[in-house]
């Protein structure tokens, strides 16, 4: 195969692959790969079924304690100057000592801290989501303010909110 023919075939293959990847489906398989926050641009409504508050879970842990350690050294800097008087030139040299500080983080023991193993979440369960009677017992993760208003509503009341994520 000639070099020119090889270049033409690779160009055609590139154009086909770009064209086919740009014409992918807008719903279906790729829809589930989008994050939940992107899917919930609009609000959902339904009949309040249940609410759930999942508390924050923590654990104590130990990590290395890092401190800044600095050292100061002196750097010798050479200066030269030339003077010219007629045909005669003279060079004078002098040195300057400049302090240089270098700092780096070093390990110095350990420290205890509180690690969050599960963050706090507020969830609301809806029946008849967006008027669809077949979508029952669907959980949505919501903000604290939405959770408080859902707790105030009684079971079976119609509520409308913008969820943070699907599931609980």
């Amino acid at each position: 195969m000639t070099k020119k023919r090889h270049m033409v075939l690779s160009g055609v293959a590139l154009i086909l692959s770009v064209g086919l990847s740009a014409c992918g489906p807008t719903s279906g398989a790729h829809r589930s790969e989008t994050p939940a926050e992107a899917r919930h641009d609009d609000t959902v409504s339904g009949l309040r079924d249940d609410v759930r508050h999942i508390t924050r879970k923590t654990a104590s842990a130990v990590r290395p304690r890092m401190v800044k350690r600095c050292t100061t050294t002196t750097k010798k800097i050479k200066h030269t100057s030339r003077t010219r008087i007629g045909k005669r030139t003279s060079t004078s040299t002098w040195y300057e000592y400049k302090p240089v500080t270098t700092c780096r983080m070093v390990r110095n023991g350990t420290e205890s801290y509180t690690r969050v193993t599960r963050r706090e979440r507020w969830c609301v369960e809806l029946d008849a989501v967006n008027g669809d009677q077949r979508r029952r017992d669907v959980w949505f993760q919501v903000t604290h303010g939405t959770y408080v208003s859902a707790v105030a509503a009684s079971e079976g009341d119609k509520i409308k909110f913008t969820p943070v994520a699907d599931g609980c």
Side-chain angles (χ1 to χ4, degrees):
M1 183 181 298
T2 64
K3 187 173 184 178
K4 186 175 182 181
R5 185 178 175 104
H6 187 268
M7 294 285 283
V8 169
L9 284 175
S10 63
V12 169
L14 177 69
I15 290 171
L16 279 174
S17 65
V18 169
L20 290 175
S21 65
C23 297
T26 58
S27 63
H30 292 304
R31 178 86 175 155
S32 64
E33 294 173 4
T34 58
E37 290 82 7
R39 286 195 306 263
H40 290 296
D41 298 340
D42 51 344
T43 59
V44 295
S45 63
L47 305 177
R48 178 198 173 268
D49 190 10
D50 200 6
V51 291
R52 182 183 297 164
H53 176 223
I54 300 170
T55 58
R56 184 176 85 147
K57 192 175 185 181
T58 61
S60 60
V62 178
R63 63 182 167 209
R65 181 174 176 259
M66 304 300 281
V67 295
K68 185 191 265 188
R69 185 162 295 156
C70 297
T71 57
T72 303
T73 57
T74 56
K75 185 176 181 180
K76 186 177 179 180
I77 302 171
K78 181 180 179 181
H79 298 281
T80 56
S81 172
R82 289 185 177 211
T83 56
R84 189 171 177 194
I85 303 171
K87 291 184 176 181
R88 193 177 136 220
T89 61
S90 66
T91 304
S92 60
T93 303
W94 71 94
Y95 295 94
E96 179 184 4
Y97 295 94
K98 187 176 182 181
V100 176
T101 303
T102 305
C103 297
R104 61 189 184 109
M105 299 298 283
V106 295
R107 184 176 170 169
N108 186 9
T110 58
E111 64 181 352
S112 298
Y113 72 103
T114 302
R115 182 170 52 97
V116 177
T117 57
R118 182 181 67 204
R119 60 186 184 85
E120 189 173 24
R121 295 192 309 261
W122 299 275
C123 302
V124 175
E125 184 183 17
L126 293 181
D127 287 339
V129 178
N130 292 333
D132 186 1
Q133 295 296 327
R134 293 172 293 170
R135 289 189 65 194
R136 302 181 58 78
D137 300 328
V138 180
W139 284 98
F140 294 100
Q141 190 172 332
V142 295
T143 62
H144 182 260
T146 305
Y147 173 80
V148 169
S149 62
V151 167
S154 61
E155 191 170 325
D157 288 350
K158 185 169 184 167
I159 58 173
K160 186 175 185 179
F161 56 85
T162 304
V164 175
D166 285 337
C168 187

